[in-house]
Every structure is written in C-alpha cells, then in structure tokens.
Amino acid sequence: QVQLVESGGGLVQPGGSLRLSCAASGFTLDYYNIGWFRQAPGKEREGVVCISSSASSTYYADSVKGRFTISRDNAKNSVYLQMHSLKPEDTAVYYCAAHGSTLGPPEYLTLDVSDYDYWGQGTQVTVSS
C-alpha cells in the first residue's frame, strides 16, 4: 500500500522553528520528486517547495525563501522540511506529495498540485503567540 505520512507539526510562537518529516511506505522515493504543500482555512492548497529525486535541485515559493529548507534521505525513504522564522501566515495544514513513477523521475520541478500523484494526510502547523 502506497503511503506518505507527515509528522512534526504543532503549535509554535512567531519566530520559532519546526521540522516536518514525510515518510514513505509501499514504494521507494528514489524515482520521485517530492513537494511540500500547505492549505490554510478557506484558501486553496499552495506549493511551498519541492526537491528533485537526487536532491540536486530545489524550487521554493517566494513566500518561504530563506526561511524554509527541504532535504531528503532516500536511504530512509524520507523527506524533511525545516522551517525557521515562522510567521502567523504560515499557519496551515502541511502536506507532502510525490511526483513521478517507477519509469523514472520527472525532468522538471513543479509546485502545481495537479502534477502530484501521491499525497499524505497532512500535519497541522499553527503559528501563534
């Protein structure tokens, strides 16, 4: 069973940090680009950052550049999102998602929701004093 499971969310004060994890089971992440997305109440899901299958390339949304860092450990079949200098507007449910197939990884990075094939259930991040 293909599954992505996010963890690490919680309540943090403005300016604080959190590290989210995304663990895959039922398939290997080696052939997949991985993206982190978020969805705030009443808003559409938006792309935050993505990383290529080999970790050689990343693509960040302007809103998180310089504050968030994505990484992956294919040996652990996991991807991480380190978040610093958190702001109240970062409050949302955060999802990881996989883009690719066993035929090989995609040749491009994208933050388009419709390009992603597998999704986790999400983890809540709340930034509030």
Side-chain angles (χ1 to χ4, degrees), residues 20-111:
L20 305 184
S21 298
C22 171
S25 61
F27 71 115
T28 176
L29 291 182
D30 291 15
Y31 300 116
Y32 293 83
N33 296 343
I34 302 299
W36 283 97
F37 296 79
R38 64 187 182 187
Q39 188 166 19
K43 294 188 176 181
E44 293 187 354
R45 192 169 298 187
E46 64 172 357
V48 174
V49 58
C50 55
I51 186 169
S52 63
S53 58
S54 65
S56 60
S57 300
T58 57
Y59 177 42
Y60 290 85
D62 289 342
S63 58
V64 304
K65 279 181 182 177
R67 301 189 298 122
F68 290 12
T69 302
I70 191 171
S71 61
R72 65 190 295 162
D73 186 341
N74 285 353
K76 294 183 178 180
N77 224 26
S78 296
V79 179
Y80 309 97
L81 182 63
Q82 180 68 56
M83 305 185 293
H84 294 298
S85 302
L86 283 162
K87 306 173 181 179
E89 51 264 44
D90 294 318
T91 295
V93 177
Y94 283 72
Y95 302 87
C96 65
H99 172 213
S101 76
T102 54
L103 296 177
E107 296 181 352
Y108 61 97
L109 291 175
T110 173
L111 289 178

Side-chain angles (χ1 to χ4, degrees), residues 11-17 84-90 126-129:
L11 173 64
V12 62
Q13 292 186 343
S17 300
H84 294 298
S85 302
L86 283 162
K87 306 173 181 179
E89 51 264 44
D90 294 318
T126 303
V127 184
S128 174
S129 55

Side-chain angles (χ1 to χ4, degrees), residues 37 45 97-99 108 110-119:
F37 296 79
R45 192 169 298 187
H99 172 213
Y108 61 97
T110 173
L111 289 178
D112 189 334
V113 170
S114 63
D115 283 328
Y116 284 77
D117 306 289
Y118 303 112
W119 291 84

